[in-house]
Amino acid sequence: MRMAADWLARWCALDRPLRHLPRIGALAVLLALVAALAWSTVAVPQMRSGEVKAQVTKAEKNGKKGIGDYELYRRIYKRVDAGENYYAAAVTEQRANRYPVRPFVTVRLPTLAVVQSWLGLETLGHVLVAMLVVSIGLYLPLTQDRTGLAERVAGAFALLLAGASLFAKQGPLSHESVAGILLTLALLSYRTTNFWPSLLFAALALAVRELALPFVLLWLALALVAGRWREAGWVAAIVGLFALGLWLHSMAVTAVVQEGDLASPGWNALAGPALPLMGLVRMTPLLTLPTWLAATLAVLPLVGWASLGGKRAGFACLAFAGFFTMMALFARAENYYWILTVLPLYAAGLAFAPRAVADLVAAARGRVVSRREGHI
């Protein structure tokens, strides 16, 4: 573990780390990137076509078109806002609209519904947009030492576009969108000397959607291997509180579930890596582009983040790759919206994709550059 930590620290300390790959390594990465881009132009359109068919089959099985997830959450919010117990409202609405209520994770955590009731959907929507603006404000100075003006502006624009769901009227109803902007703020606000704002945002993301857990666990693992014991202790405490809250949530759901209620088909679909890419195409402005082109653009931000260097970019790259792997292994085709959990931050990596390709080509040609310390 110490060896892995040392290797990661050396990699993150490099400026433009892809330039420091050995020639054979750079060639291998270039070939893998070209293969991934070519594969995505075929796999993602096929996945998208299959997902549409799956939705039609599901609707026919249910015997009706269905109200849709956002309308379901809106109805639950209205009932909670009227004073009804959250769990009674949520399970009743899901049962009435043929949504599964077993196992307990099919019922969302109550946090967002409670906040919606406190603030109202319109006010919450304004808060989410303000959080997006703050994230852009945090992003710009963090990248100024490693990027040019054009890259910073492009990255900020990508953040804005990828956060488009927060401007929509259903934005305050989307647990994944809310968790995504909170995780974006958590990463951008992190400082080793003051991790409290980041810890708060990460804890809020966990309270809204349990899909934020992989990010927090990665933070815990990296803090442990780096020997940041105080930080690791507080992150572990957040994970422990989340586990307790999830157990209480399971008890509350179990108390109102009835025999014969629908159960989820499970989350072991092994849909493959095309699913997270399809989610990026479906849930961002990439939807306006031809699917084959949008699919290639969905791949590039990951390489862009890998090219930036610094601890923050290294964490982001590991977190995104891990989340995509989780979706590929466990999510069903209709769970493509999980990808909102990595947005809008993931999209900013698209601004660094041209430098990633240039650096890989330079390394493949044997060009040597100097290294310097960094802190992003």
Side-chain angles (χ1 to χ4, degrees), residues 265-272 275 327-335:
W267 296 274
N268 56 351
L270 297 175
L275 181 57
M327 284 192 66
L329 293 175
F330 303 113
R332 303 189 304 273
E334 61 266 30
N335 299 139

Side-chain angles (χ1 to χ4, degrees), residues 41-367:
T41 63
V42 177
V44 174
Q46 288 179 346
M47 170 66 70
R48 186 173 178 186
S49 175
E51 189 271 335
V52 170
K53 293 178 181 178
Q55 293 284 26
V56 171
T57 301
K58 181 180 177 181
E60 291 175 347
K61 182 178 179 180
N62 288 346
K64 55 183 177 181
K65 185 177 180 181
I67 61 172
D69 291 357
Y70 293 132
E71 179 58 26
L72 173 70
Y73 300 143
R74 187 185 304 276
R75 293 184 182 187
I76 294 172
Y77 148 69
K78 288 181 177 179
R79 295 178 74 143
V80 172
D81 192 45
E84 189 171 350
N85 174 269
Y86 169 76
Y87 290 99
V91 172
T92 298
E93 284 293 338
Q94 290 184 213
R95 181 185 296 127
N97 292 285
R98 297 187 61 79
Y99 279 82
V101 294
R102 294 183 292 131
F104 70 93
V105 289
T106 57
V107 178
R108 294 288 181 264
L109 295 165
T111 313
L112 187 57
V114 172
V115 174
Q116 291 166 350
S117 181
W118 286 347
L119 299 179
L121 292 182
E122 184 175 356
T123 300
L124 180 56
H126 294 327
V127 171
L128 294 175
V129 171
M131 292 167 69
L132 177 61
V133 173
V134 171
S135 71
I136 294 173
L138 289 171
Y139 159 82
L140 287 171
L142 285 175
T143 53
Q144 66 182 358
D145 291 341
R146 289 177 178 266
T147 61
L149 178 61
E151 285 179 313
R152 293 198 298 277
V153 172
F157 189 61
L159 277 173
L160 183 64
L161 289 180
S165 64
L166 300 174
F167 291 92
K169 64 179 182 180
Q170 66 266 28
L173 295 166
S174 170
H175 299 75
E176 292 77 18
S177 291
V178 175
I181 189 61
L182 287 168
L183 289 174
T184 294
L185 288 169
L187 184 58
L188 293 178
S189 64
Y190 176 78
R191 305 287 189 280
T192 53
T193 56
N194 182 17
F195 56 83
W196 297 107
S198 184
L199 190 68
L200 174 61
F201 287 127
L204 290 173
L206 266 180
V208 169
R209 192 69 165 99
E210 62 274 12
L211 290 177
L213 183 60
F215 294 84
V216 181
L217 291 177
L218 176 62
W219 182 4
L220 175 60
L222 293 181
L224 287 172
V225 298
R228 302 194 300 270
W229 307 117
R230 179 168 172 265
E231 179 181 324
W234 281 106
V235 177
I238 292 297
V239 173
L241 286 174
F242 168 74
L244 175 61
L246 197 62
W247 176 73
L248 294 173
H249 175 68
S250 71
M251 299 295 288
V253 173
T254 302
V256 291
V257 167
Q258 300 174 0
E259 186 177 352
D261 282 338
L262 289 179
S264 168
W267 296 274
N268 56 351
L270 297 175
L275 181 57
L277 297 179
M278 185 191 74
L280 288 165
V281 172
R282 289 285 301 269
M283 305 306 294
T284 68
L286 291 177
L287 183 63
T288 62
L289 301 176
T291 304
W292 66 268
L293 176 59
T296 60
L297 293 176
V299 173
L300 291 173
L302 187 62
V303 186
W305 278 109
S307 73
L308 192 56
K311 294 179 180 179
R312 196 183 314 271
F315 179 94
C317 194
L318 288 174
F320 297 145
F323 194 85
F324 292 170
T325 301
M326 183 188 75
M327 284 192 66
L329 293 175
F330 303 113
R332 303 189 304 273
E334 61 266 30
N335 299 139
Y336 64 87
Y337 59 88
W338 287 7
I339 203 64
L340 288 168
T341 311
V342 304
L343 295 174
L345 188 60
Y346 175 75
L350 186 60
F352 316 130
R355 75 151 63 196
V357 175
D359 289 352
L360 286 170
V361 171
R365 293 171 57 189
R367 180 179 176 184

